Amino acid sequence: MSEKEKDVVVTEKVVSEADELPKTIVRRVVKDKLSQLSKDSEVNVLRESLQGFCESARIFIHFLSATDVCKESKRQIINAEDVFKALEEIEFAEFVAPLRTSLEEFRRKNAKRKSESLKAKEMNKKGKMKEPPVTNGGGSEEEDEDESSEE
Amino acid sequence: MKRPGTYSGILSGGISGRTGPHLLPLARIKKIMKKSSDDVKMITGEAPIVFSKACELFIEEITKRAWNITLQGKRRTLCKEDVASAVITTDIFDFLVNLVSDSAKSEES
């Protein structure tokens, strides 16, 4: 009986929503994939089965993080290459190629965005340099007035 | 005006708003990673992105297999049992077997 009670404790351990992956995004991934697989007709997904997808993905992250790639290389910081190696260790090597492609695409987009923002900053700087400096008390106006009074 | 950061497009955009190859919120992924093990102390900028995409591919893989089981049952609605069967019948999803058996037990109780 005590073992059953222990099992009940484990199953009743509720993961707070803040620790789970957002259901709307998981649902979108599932629906997109299903529409790819079944182009003819619409597919339904029960709400409770989404919970299964969310939980599975969460445990997948745990499982992937727990591999000892960093320990072996005596580093404390996980980088992208560590993740690729870990995927191979847990027999998800088929993911590595599409992930590398995805990462390269992200790096290209990021580099493009950075160069665009740098260009924009430089343009702003140049624009500010061209404007004449504004003096206190409107000195130029006073000079004009003097000229007009002389005339 | 504050410029949007590298990762800010994820939470705000839908499919059309995707600025990068990832959908899942990176902060949430980092949080889950840190909870998994005390050894996980620091994660560089690109690792959560790879994780996010890996999760997406993982969800797609389970979806595909669960869907095959739904079709075998000549149904059009994917249910939790299909997901459970997909996990049980796939070797690389062995790490999820406990999750599946726990949810089965909770249903029985």
Side-chain angles (χ1 to χ4, degrees):
Chain A
M1 281 294 286
S2 60
E3 281 179 6
K4 275 190 184 175
E5 280 171 13
K6 278 183 194 170
D7 285 341
V8 167
V9 167
V10 167
T11 53
E12 283 180 359
K13 187 180 172 187
V14 174
V15 180
S16 67
E17 279 203 24
D19 294 336
E20 286 184 340
L21 295 170
K23 281 184 190 161
T24 45
I25 298 177
V26 172
R27 185 174 174 275
R28 199 180 292 147
V29 176
V30 171
K31 287 284 256 185
D32 283 351
K33 185 66 183 175
L34 287 174
S35 62
Q36 263 180 44
L37 293 168
S38 162
K39 287 174 186 171
D40 310 330
S41 55
E42 203 185 311
V43 180
N44 293 318
V45 179
L46 286 178
R47 203 181 294 170
E48 58 174 15
S49 55
L50 270 176
Q51 183 64 28
F53 283 109
C54 287
E55 271 297 290
S56 307
R58 192 178 65 84
I59 293 175
F60 176 70
I61 295 172
H62 271 270
F63 191 48
L64 191 54
S65 315
T67 52
D68 298 325
V69 177
C70 269
K71 270 188 188 171
E72 285 167 22
S73 52
K74 291 176 187 175
R75 277 181 287 112
Q76 294 217 327
I77 305 173
I78 299 178
N79 59 30
E81 281 305 314
D82 292 332
V83 182
F84 291 133
K85 206 173 170 190
L87 279 166
E88 284 172 15
E89 281 188 16
I90 62 169
E91 296 177 45
F92 278 91
E94 62 202 33
F95 284 6
V96 172
L99 280 173
R100 280 192 195 275
T101 316
S102 208
L103 184 61
E104 287 305 312
E105 190 192 323
F106 170 76
R107 281 172 177 167
R108 266 186 277 121
K109 279 188 182 169
N110 211 24
K112 193 181 171 188
R113 201 181 294 132
K114 273 184 185 171
S115 65
E116 278 172 7
S117 71
L118 273 171
K119 274 182 193 171
K121 276 182 186 173
E122 278 170 26
M123 291 292 286
N124 282 339
K125 272 186 189 173
K126 280 181 186 173
K128 280 179 184 173
M129 291 286 283
K130 279 181 185 172
E131 284 173 14
V134 177
T135 56
N136 287 330
S140 56
E141 285 171 13
E142 281 175 10
E143 282 174 22
D144 287 339
E145 278 172 17
D146 287 338
E147 281 175 9
S148 62
S149 64
E150 280 175 13
E151 287 173 11
Chain B
M1 192 180 79
K2 198 178 173 187
R3 286 190 69 81
T6 317
Y7 309 135
S8 66
I10 307 148
L11 297 174
S12 57
I15 294 171
S16 56
R18 283 175 75 171
T19 52
H22 44 278
L23 280 172
L24 297 161
L26 302 180
R28 199 76 65 91
I29 288 177
K30 281 189 194 177
K31 206 173 173 184
I32 297 173
M33 280 172 76
K34 285 184 178 171
K35 279 201 171 181
S36 70
S37 163
D38 290 334
D39 296 326
V40 176
K41 279 173 185 146
M42 284 177 71
I43 306 147
T44 62
E46 289 182 338
I49 293 162
V50 180
F51 258 88
S52 167
K53 190 65 185 174
C55 275
E56 214 178 296
L57 294 175
F58 172 75
I59 293 168
E60 287 181 354
E61 188 65 29
I62 290 193
T63 306
K64 189 174 75 174
R65 288 173 192 269
W67 175 237
N68 285 335
I69 292 169
T70 312
L71 287 178
Q72 280 174 23
K74 292 179 184 173
R75 284 176 281 112
R76 278 307 198 198
T77 304
L78 196 153
C79 59
K80 201 167 68 170
E81 286 72 29
D82 298 330
V83 180
S85 303
V87 164
I88 292 167
T89 53
T90 312
D91 289 339
I92 55 172
F93 294 160
D94 281 349
F95 66 98
L96 291 171
V97 159
N98 288 334
L99 168 71
V100 162
S101 59
D102 284 347
S103 51
K105 277 179 191 171
S106 65
E107 266 190 24
E108 282 168 18
S109 65

